[in-house]
Amino acid sequence: TDMCWDQFLLDVVSHPDSHRCLPCPNNDVESWTQSTSPWFLLGQQDCVWPIDEEDLRVCSENTGPGYHRCSKIVTFMEKNISRTCGSNYDAFGNPRFIESVDPYGF
């Protein structure tokens, strides 16, 4: 892979708050509805959701159904980082990301 891209991904996973797609919680199911979700109001975002190519199984948060749980710590570029389960869609089915085969709009 490209070393520049790897360094960027390392920064993304090491400092996720600096690379948020939206400046709000990802899923505020208590106060949002399908049509008030920022993912609906602002539309699909051109941002990064890194994928662990060594574990492509669908995972579940501790409170969700399903049996596969993402391990919380993984090694990437010799650094231990936290891994998070996620989805391309919010809790209401709104798409989060621009669909593109090109990484991060390149």
Side-chain angles (χ1 to χ4, degrees):
T1 61
D2 183 326
M3 188 57 144
C4 181
W5 177 251
D6 285 349
Q7 284 298 131
F8 173 73
L9 281 182
L10 182 59
D11 190 56
V12 167
V13 297
S14 298
H15 307 97
D17 287 339
S18 299
H19 297 277
R20 293 183 65 84
C21 294
L22 299 175
C24 54
N26 286 326
N27 279 316
D28 187 353
V29 295
E30 300 299 319
S31 63
W32 296 349
T33 65
Q34 190 276 331
S35 61
T36 63
S37 163
W39 298 103
F40 177 81
L41 296 172
L42 299 173
Q44 293 169 282
Q45 302 295 301
D46 187 14
C47 52
V48 174
W49 182 264
I51 296 172
D52 182 352
E53 305 247 345
E54 294 185 18
D55 186 357
L56 297 176
R57 295 176 290 172
V58 174
C59 61
S60 177
E61 294 290 341
N62 290 335
T63 58
Y67 297 104
H68 178 58
R69 304 281 191 256
C70 294
S71 65
K72 293 298 181 188
I73 303 294
V74 294
T75 302
F76 179 70
M77 293 184 64
E78 301 179 11
K79 303 276 185 190
N80 290 331
I81 57 166
S82 296
R83 183 167 58 178
T84 304
C85 288
S87 172
N88 290 349
Y89 300 89
D90 73 4
F92 304 100
N94 296 310
R96 290 181 172 164
F97 311 118
I98 291 173
E99 293 183 31
S100 173
V101 295
D102 298 320
Y104 205 53
F106 288 100

